[in-house]
Amino acid sequence: MSGRRSRSKQSSVSSITDNQITDLVSKLQHLIPELRRRRFDKVSTSKVLQETCNYIRSLHREVEDLSDRLSQLLASTDGGSDQAAIIRSLLMQ
Amino acid sequence: MMNTPQQVKNPSSSLKSRFITRFLGALTKITAEDPISSSSPTRIFQRYRRIKVASNKSMAYSVRSRRIWSRAMLSRFRSRRSAFSGRRSSVKTTNCTTSPPPALIKVTINEKKTAKGGLDMQTDELRELVPGGEAMDVCNLLDETAHYIKCLTTQVQVMRKIVDFYHLSK
């Protein structure tokens, strides 16, 4: 699939159109909890990008925090026998 | 230029279930290789590191080579592993991906000169957060970011459920 060729006012280096970027940015907006409530407002691209970065960072921190908690929990439990039960209960949700 | 259209999810082996299976397998292995009674701070920290890596690895492997970000992450893991296995004295443990080859850097600089110069500056921060982001054009970056976020939220969701499970079973 080819994007529209650039209009005359844009550089000929990039054939990426404004519409494509707008669509992608709005797709991102829907993924970010902070911005999802403002779905019908006009959120600027830079705000979306900024919030995206913040969100990714908070997700990274959550992975670290959950890994930390798991490392403490695993220290005192035997993981092997529970595994089948865990998988079943997790997948059923 | 743009990535492939929406992947059709195979209901019997969704991304989430592949991640769950892999990650739980890794957790079992980590627990088995560690004496349960040992709970020294060092041990726990090492376990934390291994669990975090296992979580990211499990997700990257579940996505495989279908995404730029997962390919970047997998090659990062591979290079880290080979760095450790050989030379122990001069080990690179940097978390950054290596810089893109000169040709790609040139393309990035050209893009900054266009009307989209402002957008490129705004995406700098994002490029550092998404694996492989430095070498992506803006469209790919935004598209990959959306997928990366979906996978991260799945990771977090599953890990939370595992933590809850262990809490309840105590």
Side-chain angles (χ1 to χ4, degrees), chain A residues 11 16 18 21 24 27 31 50 52 55 57 60 62 64 67-68 71 75 79 83 86-87 90-91 93, chain B residues 17 20 24 28 36 44 47-48 52 114 116 119 125 139 143 145-146 148 153 156 159-161 165:
Chain A
S11 158
I16 299 169
D18 284 337
I21 295 195
L24 289 167
K27 184 170 96 169
L31 287 175
Q50 187 55 57
T52 303
Y55 189 47
R57 270 193 283 262
H60 284 164
E62 264 211 272
E64 287 173 2
S67 302
D68 184 43
S71 68
Q83 189 177 345
I86 299 173
I87 296 179
L90 285 174
L91 289 178
Q93 290 165 36
Chain B
S17 59
I20 290 174
L24 285 175
T28 311
I36 298 166
I44 293 183
R47 200 177 292 134
Y48 150 74
K52 185 172 103 160
T114 70
K116 296 191 180 10
L119 183 64
E125 204 186 341
C139 265
D143 189 50
T145 300
Y148 184 53
T153 52
V156 164
M159 288 175 85
R160 264 197 219 130
K161 292 214 184 106
F165 181 94

Side-chain angles (χ1 to χ4, degrees), chain A residues 3-21:
Chain A
R4 259 178 279 141
R5 277 288 135 194
S6 51
R7 292 161 238 145
S8 54
K9 65 178 176 182
Q10 286 177 6
S11 158
S12 55
V13 169
S14 154
S15 60
I16 299 169
T17 66
D18 284 337
N19 275 344
Q20 281 177 291
I21 295 195

Side-chain angles (χ1 to χ4, degrees), chain A residues 17-68:
Chain A
T17 66
D18 284 337
N19 275 344
Q20 281 177 291
I21 295 195
T22 311
D23 287 343
L24 289 167
V25 168
S26 85
K27 184 170 96 169
L28 268 183
Q29 187 180 336
H30 289 138
L31 287 175
I32 301 167
E34 272 295 304
L35 302 176
R36 225 178 300 174
R37 335 173 189 132
R38 303 177 55 185
R39 199 187 319 223
F40 303 110
D41 291 354
K42 212 44 179 13
V43 183
S44 71
T45 298
S46 77
K47 175 83 171 157
V48 174
L49 290 175
Q50 187 55 57
E51 289 301 325
T52 303
C53 292
N54 293 340
Y55 189 47
I56 292 181
R57 270 193 283 262
S58 80
L59 287 170
H60 284 164
R61 277 197 305 269
E62 264 211 272
V63 169
E64 287 173 2
D65 176 63
L66 290 165
S67 302
D68 184 43

Side-chain angles (χ1 to χ4, degrees), chain B residues 130-164:
Chain B
V130 177
E134 309 84 4
M136 295 179 199
D137 65 50
V138 172
C139 265
N140 276 328
L141 177 67
L142 296 174
D143 189 50
E144 292 283 315
T145 300
H147 189 265
Y148 184 53
I149 286 180
K150 283 187 200 152
C151 292
L152 277 175
T153 52
T154 302
Q155 252 180 279
V156 164
Q157 192 186 66
V158 170
M159 288 175 85
R160 264 197 219 130
K161 292 214 184 106
I162 298 179
V163 166
D164 288 345

